[in-house]
Amino acid sequence: MDALEEAWREEQQVRARAAAQARDAAEQDAARATAFIRDIWARTGTGPTWTELGEAMAWPPQLRARVIRLLARDGVLLYSSAPRSLAVVDGSDDE
């Protein structure tokens, strides 16, 4: 195996591990994330930033966007390009 192929394989393994870690975090932290977001909305009238949510959940910085996007795809969260638009989908169970 040449060096280029080895580097490609290593990169694929890194991506696969990151995807698995993000999926695990999304599954484990969905309820806590929705509770945190609801609390921020109740206290401030706006959503948290992605960084604030990630820090509150102790997600590694390199996984935060991936976890949030997974939660959005799963129908738990929604967001737009507007600042602080991160919100909980109505009917999402945070218990």
Side-chain angles (χ1 to χ4, degrees):
M1 181 175 344
D2 69 0
L4 185 59
E5 185 177 348
E6 181 65 27
W8 180 84
R9 287 182 190 274
E10 288 176 15
E11 178 64 25
Q12 294 306 307
Q13 290 173 347
V14 167
R15 288 178 189 225
R17 279 192 300 273
Q21 289 173 332
R23 173 50 57 201
D24 289 347
E27 290 172 0
Q28 293 171 3
D29 296 335
R32 283 188 327 122
T34 58
F36 177 80
I37 293 167
R38 285 186 173 126
D39 179 61
I40 296 295
W41 271 100
R43 288 188 297 115
T44 68
T46 64
T49 65
W50 290 25
T51 298
E52 290 167 343
L53 176 60
E55 288 176 354
M57 298 297 107
W59 297 331
Q62 66 274 19
L63 292 182
R64 291 174 185 168
R66 188 178 286 214
V67 175
I68 291 168
R69 287 185 182 108
L70 282 169
L71 289 170
R73 274 187 235 136
D74 290 347
V76 176
L77 304 180
L78 34 94
Y79 59 85
S80 71
S81 60
R84 297 188 169 274
S85 64
L86 191 55
V88 176
V89 172
D90 288 339
S92 288
D93 183 19
D94 66 343
E95 300 301 319

